[in-house]
CSV table of all heavy atoms in Angstrom, one decimal:
chain,number,residue,atom,x,y,z
A,141,GLU,N,56.3,30.8,-26.3
A,141,GLU,CA,57.6,30.6,-26.9
A,141,GLU,C,58.5,31.6,-26.2
A,141,GLU,O,59.7,31.2,-25.9
A,141,GLU,CB,57.6,30.8,-28.5
A,141,GLU,CG,58.9,30.7,-29.0
A,141,GLU,CD,59.5,29.4,-28.8
A,141,GLU,OE1,58.9,28.4,-28.6
A,141,GLU,OE2,60.8,29.2,-28.8
A,142,ILE,N,58.0,32.8,-26.0
A,142,ILE,CA,58.9,33.8,-25.3
A,142,ILE,C,59.2,33.3,-23.9
A,142,ILE,O,60.3,33.4,-23.3
A,142,ILE,CB,58.3,35.2,-25.3
A,142,ILE,CG1,58.2,35.7,-26.6
A,142,ILE,CG2,59.0,36.1,-24.3
A,142,ILE,CD1,57.4,37.1,-26.7
A,143,ALA,N,58.1,32.8,-23.1
A,143,ALA,CA,58.3,32.2,-21.8
A,143,ALA,C,59.3,31.1,-21.8
A,143,ALA,O,60.2,30.9,-20.9
A,143,ALA,CB,57.0,31.8,-21.3
A,144,ARG,N,59.2,30.1,-22.7
A,144,ARG,CA,60.1,29.1,-22.9
A,144,ARG,C,61.6,29.5,-23.1
A,144,ARG,O,62.5,29.0,-22.3
A,144,ARG,CB,59.7,28.1,-24.1
A,144,ARG,CG,58.6,27.0,-23.6
A,144,ARG,CD,58.4,26.0,-24.7
A,144,ARG,NE,57.8,26.6,-25.8
A,144,ARG,CZ,56.6,26.7,-26.0
A,144,ARG,NH1,55.7,26.1,-25.2
A,144,ARG,NH2,56.1,27.1,-27.2
A,145,ARG,N,61.7,30.5,-24.0
A,145,ARG,CA,63.1,31.0,-24.2
A,145,ARG,C,63.7,31.7,-22.9
A,145,ARG,O,64.9,31.4,-22.6
A,145,ARG,CB,63.1,32.1,-25.3
A,145,ARG,CG,62.8,31.4,-26.7
A,145,ARG,CD,62.9,32.3,-27.9
A,145,ARG,NE,62.6,31.6,-29.1
A,145,ARG,CZ,62.6,32.4,-30.3
A,145,ARG,NH1,62.8,33.6,-30.3
A,145,ARG,NH2,62.3,31.8,-31.4
A,146,LEU,N,62.8,32.4,-22.2
A,146,LEU,CA,63.2,33.2,-21.0
A,146,LEU,C,63.7,32.2,-20.0
A,146,LEU,O,64.7,32.2,-19.3
A,146,LEU,CB,62.1,34.1,-20.6
A,146,LEU,CG,62.5,34.8,-19.2
A,146,LEU,CD1,63.6,35.7,-19.3
A,146,LEU,CD2,61.1,35.6,-18.8
A,147,GLN,N,62.7,31.1,-19.8
A,147,GLN,CA,63.0,30.1,-18.8
A,147,GLN,C,64.4,29.3,-19.2
A,147,GLN,O,65.2,29.1,-18.3
A,147,GLN,CB,62.0,29.1,-18.7
A,147,GLN,CG,62.1,28.2,-17.5
A,147,GLN,CD,60.9,27.3,-17.4
A,147,GLN,OE1,60.4,26.6,-18.4
A,147,GLN,NE2,60.2,27.2,-16.2
A,148,ARG,N,64.5,29.0,-20.4
A,148,ARG,CA,65.7,28.2,-20.8
A,148,ARG,C,67.0,29.0,-20.6
A,148,ARG,O,68.0,28.5,-20.1
A,148,ARG,CB,65.7,27.7,-22.2
A,148,ARG,CG,64.8,26.6,-22.5
A,148,ARG,CD,65.0,25.9,-24.0
A,148,ARG,NE,64.7,27.0,-25.0
A,148,ARG,CZ,63.5,26.9,-25.6
A,148,ARG,NH1,62.6,26.0,-25.3
A,148,ARG,NH2,63.3,27.9,-26.6
A,149,SER,N,66.9,30.4,-20.9
A,149,SER,CA,68.1,31.3,-20.7
A,149,SER,C,68.3,31.4,-19.2
A,149,SER,O,69.5,31.4,-18.9
A,149,SER,CB,67.7,32.6,-21.3
A,149,SER,OG,66.8,33.4,-20.6
A,150,MET,N,67.3,31.4,-18.4
A,150,MET,CA,67.6,31.4,-16.9
A,150,MET,C,68.2,30.1,-16.3
A,150,MET,O,68.7,30.3,-15.3
A,150,MET,CB,66.2,31.8,-16.2
A,150,MET,CG,65.8,33.3,-16.5
A,150,MET,SD,67.1,34.5,-15.7
A,150,MET,CE,66.3,36.0,-16.3
A,151,LEU,N,67.8,29.1,-16.9
A,151,LEU,CA,68.1,27.8,-16.4
A,151,LEU,C,69.5,27.2,-17.0
A,151,LEU,O,69.8,26.1,-16.8
A,151,LEU,CB,67.0,26.7,-16.5
A,151,LEU,CG,65.8,27.1,-15.7
A,151,LEU,CD1,64.7,26.1,-15.9
A,151,LEU,CD2,66.0,27.4,-14.3
A,152,SER,N,70.1,28.1,-17.8
A,152,SER,CA,71.4,27.6,-18.4
A,152,SER,C,72.5,28.2,-17.7
A,152,SER,O,72.4,28.9,-16.7
A,152,SER,CB,71.4,28.2,-19.9
A,152,SER,OG,71.5,29.6,-19.9
A,153,GLY,N,73.7,27.7,-18.1
A,153,GLY,CA,74.9,28.2,-17.3
A,153,GLY,C,75.6,27.0,-16.6
A,153,GLY,O,75.0,26.0,-16.4
A,154,ASP,N,76.9,27.1,-16.5
A,154,ASP,CA,77.7,26.2,-15.8
A,154,ASP,C,77.4,26.1,-14.3
A,154,ASP,O,77.2,27.2,-13.6
A,154,ASP,CB,79.2,26.6,-16.0
A,154,ASP,CG,79.7,26.5,-17.5
A,154,ASP,OD1,79.0,25.8,-18.2
A,154,ASP,OD2,80.5,27.1,-17.9
A,155,LEU,N,77.6,24.9,-13.8
A,155,LEU,CA,77.3,24.7,-12.3
A,155,LEU,C,78.6,24.5,-11.7
A,155,LEU,O,79.7,24.2,-12.3
A,155,LEU,CB,76.6,23.3,-12.1
A,155,LEU,CG,75.0,23.3,-12.7
A,155,LEU,CD1,74.6,21.9,-12.7
A,155,LEU,CD2,74.2,24.4,-12.1
A,156,PRO,N,78.8,24.9,-10.5
A,156,PRO,CA,80.0,24.7,-9.7
A,156,PRO,C,80.5,23.3,-9.7
A,156,PRO,O,79.7,22.4,-9.7
A,156,PRO,CB,79.6,25.2,-8.1
A,156,PRO,CG,78.4,26.0,-8.3
A,156,PRO,CD,77.6,25.4,-9.4
A,157,ALA,N,81.8,23.1,-9.8
A,157,ALA,CA,82.4,21.8,-9.9
A,157,ALA,C,83.8,21.9,-9.3
A,157,ALA,O,84.4,22.9,-9.2
A,157,ALA,CB,82.4,21.2,-11.4
A,158,GLY,N,84.3,20.7,-8.9
A,158,GLY,CA,85.6,20.6,-8.4
A,158,GLY,C,85.6,20.4,-6.8
A,158,GLY,O,84.6,20.5,-6.2
A,159,ALA,N,86.8,20.1,-6.3
A,159,ALA,CA,87.1,20.0,-4.9
A,159,ALA,C,86.0,18.9,-4.3
A,159,ALA,O,85.5,19.1,-3.2
A,159,ALA,CB,86.8,21.3,-4.2
A,160,GLY,N,85.8,17.8,-5.0
A,160,GLY,CA,84.9,16.7,-4.6
A,160,GLY,C,83.4,17.1,-4.7
A,160,GLY,O,82.6,16.4,-4.0
A,161,LEU,N,83.1,18.2,-5.3
A,161,LEU,CA,81.7,18.6,-5.4
A,161,LEU,C,81.1,18.3,-6.7
A,161,LEU,O,81.7,18.6,-7.7
A,161,LEU,CB,81.6,20.2,-5.3
A,161,LEU,CG,80.3,20.8,-5.3
A,161,LEU,CD1,79.3,20.4,-4.1
A,161,LEU,CD2,80.4,22.4,-5.3
A,162,ASP,N,79.9,17.5,-6.6
A,162,ASP,CA,79.3,17.0,-7.9
A,162,ASP,C,77.9,17.6,-7.9
A,162,ASP,O,77.1,17.2,-6.9
A,162,ASP,CB,79.3,15.4,-7.8
A,162,ASP,CG,78.6,14.9,-9.1
A,162,ASP,OD1,78.4,15.6,-10.0
A,162,ASP,OD2,78.2,13.7,-9.0
A,163,ILE,N,77.5,18.4,-8.7
A,163,ILE,CA,76.2,19.0,-8.7
A,163,ILE,C,75.5,18.7,-10.1
A,163,ILE,O,76.1,18.8,-11.2
A,163,ILE,CB,76.1,20.6,-8.5
A,163,ILE,CG1,76.8,20.9,-7.3
A,163,ILE,CG2,74.7,21.1,-8.6
A,163,ILE,CD1,76.8,22.3,-7.0
A,164,ALA,N,74.2,18.2,-10.1
A,164,ALA,CA,73.5,18.0,-11.3
A,164,ALA,C,72.1,18.4,-11.1
A,164,ALA,O,71.6,18.5,-10.0
A,164,ALA,CB,73.6,16.5,-11.6
A,165,VAL,N,71.5,18.8,-12.2
A,165,VAL,CA,70.0,19.2,-12.1
A,165,VAL,C,69.2,18.4,-13.3
A,165,VAL,O,69.8,17.9,-14.1
A,165,VAL,CB,69.9,20.8,-12.4
A,165,VAL,CG1,70.6,21.5,-11.4
A,165,VAL,CG2,70.3,21.0,-13.8
A,166,ALA,N,67.9,18.4,-13.0
A,166,ALA,CA,67.0,17.8,-14.0
A,166,ALA,C,65.7,18.6,-13.9
A,166,ALA,O,65.2,18.9,-12.8
A,166,ALA,CB,66.6,16.3,-13.6
A,167,TYR,N,65.3,19.1,-15.1
A,167,TYR,CA,64.0,19.8,-15.1
A,167,TYR,C,63.1,19.2,-16.3
A,167,TYR,O,63.6,18.9,-17.3
A,167,TYR,CB,64.3,21.3,-15.6
A,167,TYR,CG,63.1,22.1,-15.8
A,167,TYR,CD1,62.4,22.7,-14.7
A,167,TYR,CD2,62.5,22.2,-17.1
A,167,TYR,CE1,61.3,23.4,-14.8
A,167,TYR,CE2,61.2,22.9,-17.3
A,167,TYR,CZ,60.7,23.4,-16.1
A,167,TYR,OH,59.6,24.1,-16.3
A,168,HIS,N,61.9,18.9,-15.9
A,168,HIS,CA,61.0,18.4,-16.9
A,168,HIS,C,59.6,19.1,-16.8
A,168,HIS,O,59.0,19.2,-15.7
A,168,HIS,CB,60.7,16.8,-16.5
A,168,HIS,CG,61.9,16.0,-16.6
A,168,HIS,ND1,62.5,15.6,-17.8
A,168,HIS,CD2,62.7,15.4,-15.6
A,168,HIS,CE1,63.5,14.9,-17.6
A,168,HIS,NE2,63.7,14.9,-16.4
A,169,PRO,N,59.2,19.6,-17.9
A,169,PRO,CA,57.9,20.3,-17.9
A,169,PRO,C,56.7,19.3,-17.7
A,169,PRO,O,56.8,18.2,-18.0
A,169,PRO,CB,57.7,20.9,-19.4
A,169,PRO,CG,58.7,20.1,-20.2
A,169,PRO,CD,59.8,19.7,-19.2
A,170,GLY,N,55.7,19.8,-16.9
A,170,GLY,CA,54.5,18.9,-16.7
A,170,GLY,C,53.8,18.3,-17.8
A,170,GLY,O,53.5,17.2,-17.9
A,171,VAL,N,53.6,19.2,-18.8
A,171,VAL,CA,52.8,18.9,-19.9
A,171,VAL,C,53.5,19.4,-21.1
A,171,VAL,O,53.6,20.6,-21.3
A,171,VAL,CB,51.4,19.3,-20.0
A,171,VAL,CG1,50.6,18.9,-21.2
A,171,VAL,CG2,50.6,18.8,-18.7
Side-chain angles (χ1 to χ4, degrees):
E141 179 58 26
I142 292 170
R144 277 191 288 269
R145 291 181 181 180
L146 177 59
Q147 188 176 53
R148 283 195 295 265
S149 70
M150 289 294 176
L151 300 183
S152 63
D154 296 332
L155 299 173
L161 179 66
D162 179 21
I163 299 181
V165 297
Y167 176 85
H168 299 288
V171 181

